[in-house]
Amino acid sequence: MAARIVPAKRDPIRPAPANPIVISIDGDPVAGIEGQTIAGVVLASGRLAWRRTSVDGRPRGLFCGIGVCFDCIVTVNGERDVRACQRRAGDGDVVSSQHDELPEAAR
Amino acid sequence: MTAATPARGPGPVPTPAGAAAGARSVLVVGAGPAGLAAARAARERGASVVLLDASDATGGQYWRHLPDSRPSANERVLHHGWSTYRSLHEELERDPGCETVLGAQVWAIERADAPGTAAPVAVHVLVGPPDGSRRVGRTFRPDALVLAIGAHDRTLPFPGWDLPGVFTAGAAQAFAKGERVALGERVVVAGAGPFLLPVAASVAATGAKVLGVYEAGRVKGLVRGWLPKPWQLIGAAKKGGELAGYVGTHLRHRIPYVTGRAVIAAHGTDRVEAVTIASVDADWAPIPGTERRVETDSVCVSHGFTPRLELPIAAGCDLTADRFVRVDEGQQTSVPGVYAAGEITGIGGVDAALAEGEIAGHVASGGSARDTDLAEAIGARRTFTGFAARIEAAHGIRRGWTGWLEDDTIVCRCEEVPYGRLRETREATCGSGLRSMKLTTRAGLGICQGRVCGRTVEELLGGAASDPAASAPAASAPAASGPAASVTTDRRPIASPLRIGELAAGPDLTRSSTTSNVQKGHP
């Protein structure tokens, strides 16, 4: 019941063997394939949401998939607000999810 | 802070090594079908071309594909016109007169308003990994600019559309084609428009089960538009062939294609578990008593497209009444030297984009729309742009959709603004002034810069949706002629979010255009 990468053996495009990478997501090591976006790696690991909204604390993950909506933003190697659907995952990347509380005055 | 680089700051478009010295410089923004065709046509006329794309590959959303690090034997089965793409890409790649800059995010366009200014605009770009903090700034002042930046999905809000597992249809396709990732196992595809068909085909090609394609348009409208024999109706054998291919895919995978239905709610606590699908009338208003619940783990919904207008608006281009970029027969906008091609001039599909791109590139590099070598492209444009009107007639957003909103339905995803707050604000202020209502509600003011909800907020806060007499599709917002009315959400002077440090390190936008003009020039 989750997103998954198409198994190479069943893929009609007949992919060549892929280069494995490992990134860390909130401290957990997660395996991916070189060339995947961070969103691709995270989704294929079974995670559907990786951000909490500021007002209602609701879970969010991928929505538009093409860099328009900014729902999927994460912190990558200390750099905030990176669109996970646009940034390619690099071996060893340290990814953390974001939950930004509103300043008190805005509540 | 980024160290200064020779490429930053004022200066002409660096002439790619292979272009003749003194050649006309053409900057093409967007390397999808229209931009690739424009770049090739400009090179055929000897122009010095720089082709930019924000992504790290050419092809655009239409030919979104796996990265070079993931080669495969038969990727073409996922695409239409793959050989057209490969030949465009390879031709430009080996051409030393075309410099392709990938990872290039245009964040501002400065108009050259001063009389006698030669370069029509200055285009400010950051080059590097998406949202990286160490991107390198470049500024281009080309003789001609071709904007081929395309469109993105427009998804109307419905209760639960903010749940994880609800995606735009474009996301499903991008991840199927660009990553070989299936976003779910039991997938509902819904919304409006012929684009839903290739999306369902892409999802099916990941091995996921497509439970159905639910098209809000009614059968009568579709027959009038392009079904059931689109190739006859639009007189375009190629487009018909493409659609026939999708229909064949649906038959093979036994995907139900149902019209006059809409996903009116998604259900679940922390992720989507089911949707409610209802029949809708010709105005897209849900018909009570027709609701049906369908268990699903992935919902892909798009109701149309929104052209990316912030760059043409920044360049000063006029828009049409239905809010696309207005162009003449040579694809030139109202701003001399600035051209537009592809979906920002109308949602016409890949063949229209290729033809428009070729015309734009040809004319931008000094040719004429009447040149005989453009005859084929002019004919193709005539054939395929009719498609845009038919899509709008059959699938255009109808105002009855607001009938599926609840007061607590999130409209602006970034700022988490519910419909009830928009409705109350509109009632309290008698619908005066989009700008002040946006500031009051915060709708459309989040990090996506109103790209997702902007037009929806305009319609809900007044505009087209408040005009009960209008029978035109709600997507046709109030006429904006002249450089787009400042009240629309399409206007974004900073075209893409950037970091304060990058802004501090980047070109000084306060510099006068006269100064820019002095600094323009070719060796």
Side-chain angles (χ1 to χ4, degrees):
Chain A
M1 291 291 280
R4 56 165 175 76
I5 196 156
V6 179
K9 282 180 187 161
R10 295 215 315 263
D11 195 335
I13 71 168
R14 304 203 306 273
N19 300 322
I21 59 169
V22 177
I23 68 174
S24 121
I25 301 167
D26 290 332
D28 296 339
V30 174
I33 292 174
E34 186 191 348
Q36 277 187 293
T37 62
I38 288 172
V41 175
V42 177
L43 283 164
S45 78
R47 293 164 172 83
L48 194 59
W50 50 86
R51 186 171 75 85
R52 290 263 163 192
T53 62
S54 299
V55 178
D56 298 328
R58 298 291 297 150
R60 294 278 176 88
L62 187 80
F63 179 63
C64 82
I66 61 169
V68 171
C69 78
F70 287 77
D71 250 359
C72 68
I73 54 175
V74 290
T75 297
V76 182
N77 303 327
E79 204 165 71
R80 287 178 45 87
D81 299 337
V82 174
R83 287 167 293 176
C85 74
Q86 297 296 290
R87 176 70 72 87
R88 302 274 179 206
D91 193 30
D93 273 351
V94 177
V95 177
S96 48
S97 52
Q98 290 186 201
H99 170 54
D100 298 315
E101 299 281 351
L102 286 180
E104 277 305 311
R107 283 171 191 273
Chain B
M1 280 294 286
T2 312
T5 70
R8 165 166 315 122
V13 173
T15 304
R24 196 171 159 79
S25 63
V26 175
L27 178 68
V28 180
V29 181
L36 289 167
R40 180 167 68 180
R43 281 300 298 144
E44 278 171 1
R45 289 192 49 83
S48 139
V49 174
V50 175
L51 173 62
L52 306 180
D53 199 278
S55 157
D56 60 3
T58 62
Q61 298 307 333
Y62 186 78
W63 286 314
R64 176 103 163 213
H65 56 278
L66 288 161
D68 291 344
S69 59
R70 295 179 67 182
S72 62
N74 204 19
E75 190 170 4
R76 63 170 52 241
V77 299
L78 303 178
H79 294 272
H80 284 272
W82 186 242
S83 59
T84 303
Y85 165 65
R86 290 308 303 176
S87 67
L88 279 165
H89 171 79
E90 282 158 19
E91 198 175 314
L92 291 168
E93 191 172 54
R94 65 172 174 258
D95 179 353
C98 176
E99 182 196 1
T100 301
V101 186
L102 300 174
Q105 180 68 57
V106 176
W107 63 273
I109 288 185
E110 226 181 332
R111 296 168 67 176
D113 288 323
T117 301
V121 287
V123 179
H124 299 291
V125 180
L126 286 167
V127 183
D131 306 322
S133 57
R134 285 179 292 280
R135 294 180 290 183
V136 175
R138 285 180 75 171
T139 294
F140 298 93
R141 291 185 175 80
D143 295 319
L145 169 67
V146 178
L147 294 170
I149 45 190
H152 57 75
D153 300 69
R154 175 156 180 215
T155 299
L156 299 171
F158 52 89
W161 77 310
D162 51 330
L163 281 170
V166 179
F167 308 99
T168 69
Q173 190 170 52
F175 276 71
K177 295 196 325 194
E179 304 247 358
R180 301 307 286 142
V181 164
L183 295 179
E185 295 293 350
R186 292 169 50 82
V187 182
V188 166
V189 176
F195 176 60
L196 298 180
L197 298 171
V199 168
S202 292
V203 171
T206 66
K209 181 170 178 59
V210 180
L211 300 176
V213 177
Y214 300 93
E215 157 69 51
R218 303 291 296 192
V219 177
K220 207 172 145 203
L222 292 179
V223 170
R224 199 170 58 235
W226 55 269
L227 278 174
K229 291 186 179 173
W231 49 95
Q232 290 178 4
L233 285 166
I234 67 174
K238 242 172 104 190
K239 176 62 74 183
E242 187 178 329
L243 290 171
Y246 296 136
V247 172
T249 301
H250 282 235
L251 290 176
R252 270 200 310 283
H253 293 279
R254 300 187 185 282
I255 301 171
Y257 181 76
V258 194
T259 61
R261 301 283 199 291
V263 167
I264 62 164
H267 312 284
T269 48
D270 278 349
R271 60 158 301 149
V272 67
E273 289 160 11
V275 290
T276 297
I277 293 166
S279 293
V280 294
D281 65 18
D283 201 34
W284 288 23
I287 299 170
T290 63
E291 299 87 353
R292 187 165 66 89
R293 190 178 164 103
V294 174
E295 309 289 317
T296 175
D297 60 3
S298 176
V299 186
C300 308
V301 188
S302 288
H303 298 92
F305 290 97
T306 305
R308 297 177 187 262
L309 292 179
E310 55 273 356
L311 295 182
I313 288 172
C317 303
D318 282 0
L319 303 185
T320 60
D322 52 356
R323 287 167 79 182
F324 291 97
V325 180
R326 183 190 302 285
V327 290
D328 67 13
E329 61 168 4
Q331 298 295 134
Q332 185 168 237
T333 69
S334 60
V335 179
V338 177
Y339 299 77
E343 308 292 57
I344 57 170
T345 67
I347 305 301
V350 66
D351 296 302
L354 286 167
E356 290 165 4
E358 181 180 344
I359 297 163
H362 179 92
V363 179
S365 51
S368 157
R370 306 224 163 97
D371 290 344
T372 50
D373 45 351
L374 267 192
E376 203 177 314
I378 298 278
R381 179 179 63 181
R382 193 179 306 119
T383 301
F384 292 113
T385 49
F387 194 60
R390 291 183 183 279
I391 291 174
E392 182 57 30
H395 305 279
I397 292 169
R398 301 297 191 269
R399 66 194 60 253
W401 72 268
T402 55
W404 66 59
L405 291 174
E406 306 283 352
D407 269 357
D408 62 356
T409 304
I410 294 292
V411 172
C412 169
R413 299 171 65 93
C414 297
E415 296 290 313
E416 300 173 80
V417 182
Y419 172 60
R421 196 183 310 159
L422 291 177
R423 193 178 47 71
E424 285 161 14
T425 304
R426 186 188 65 206
E427 284 161 8
T429 60
C430 305
S432 62
L434 176 66
R435 191 180 147 77
S436 67
M437 284 192 287
K438 275 170 64 187
L439 290 171
T440 306
T441 61
R442 296 207 52 78
L445 300 180
I447 190 172
C448 90
Q449 300 178 286
R451 285 179 170 84
V452 175
C453 73
R455 292 197 169 188
T456 297
V457 168
E458 284 175 29
E459 287 163 21
L460 293 176
L461 284 181
S466 69
D467 177 7
S471 58
S476 303
S481 74
S486 59
V487 293
T488 73
T489 53
D490 294 324
R491 193 181 155 86
R492 296 176 190 96
I494 301 294
S496 144
L498 71 168
R499 294 174 196 279
I500 298 292
E502 291 175 321
L503 189 58
D508 181 4
L509 280 185
T510 59
R511 192 171 44 237
S512 78
S513 48
T514 315
T515 315
S516 306
N517 181 34
V518 170
Q519 288 163 331
K520 189 232 167 245
H522 284 283

